[in-house]
Amino acid sequence: MSDCLFCKILDGEIPADIVYESDTAIAFRDINPQASTHVLIIPRQHIATINDIADSDQAVVGSLYSAAREIAKAEGIADDGYRAVMNCNEAAGQTVFHIHLHLIGGRTLGWPPG
Ligand code: 5GP
Ligand code: ZN
């Protein structure tokens, strides 16, 4: 998708601090971090929202959680705990329409979210 910010990061058109890459996913640090670790994990495949995930995308979407596991370990937050969350559409606060898992940790996180 030529007008998608995260596809541009995937293409190297927009720079990002990439912390993880696999065949199906990449991850980079959020430009406006909400905790000491705030990484966005995205599929290489452009999928706009959770509503657009096809059953045939299950392996790709599952691989985002494998990435979360590995990044949390590398960041040293796996044992203390962290959140891996995906917003869907405007009411949930989604602003970039290429699905992404927010991996947030390094501090105690409140629940429920606002
Ligand atoms: P959403 O609100 O869609 O769930 O999350 C989008 C996230 O992307 C936000 O946390 C925002 O800070 C981050 N973001 C927006 N533009 C950029 C960018 O150009 N580079 C990076 N690394 N993160 C971005
Ligand atoms: Zn995209």
Side-chain angles (χ1 to χ4, degrees), residues 35-54:
S36 53
T37 293
H38 187 171
V39 169
L40 302 174
I41 306 166
I42 71 170
R44 291 187 184 276
Q45 180 186 337
H46 179 87
I47 302 170
T49 78
I50 295 174
N51 293 336
D52 302 298
I53 297 170

Side-chain angles (χ1 to χ4, degrees), residues 28-40 75 101-105:
F28 49 87
R29 296 194 189 281
D30 196 291
I31 205 167
N32 182 25
Q34 300 303 309
S36 53
T37 293
H38 187 171
V39 169
L40 302 174
E75 293 278 313
L101 207 50
H102 291 262
L103 174 62
I104 301 170

Side-chain angles (χ1 to χ4, degrees), residues 11-69:
D11 289 345
E13 223 177 294
I14 291 175
D17 184 1
I18 293 170
V19 298
Y20 175 95
E21 291 190 76
S22 76
D23 287 351
T24 52
I26 73 162
F28 49 87
R29 296 194 189 281
D30 196 291
I31 205 167
N32 182 25
Q34 300 303 309
S36 53
T37 293
H38 187 171
V39 169
L40 302 174
I41 306 166
I42 71 170
R44 291 187 184 276
Q45 180 186 337
H46 179 87
I47 302 170
T49 78
I50 295 174
N51 293 336
D52 302 298
I53 297 170
D55 288 345
S56 56
D57 296 332
Q58 281 181 9
V60 166
V61 175
S63 78
L64 304 181
Y65 285 91
S66 299
R69 179 197 65 218

Side-chain angles (χ1 to χ4, degrees), residues 97-111:
F97 289 84
H98 179 134
I99 59 167
H100 46 282
L101 207 50
H102 291 262
L103 174 62
I104 301 170
R107 65 172 170 85
T108 301
L109 301 167
W111 190 265

Side-chain angles (χ1 to χ4, degrees), residues 1 4 6-7 46 97-98:
M1 287 277 290
C4 170
F6 288 173
C7 282
H46 179 87
F97 289 84
H98 179 134

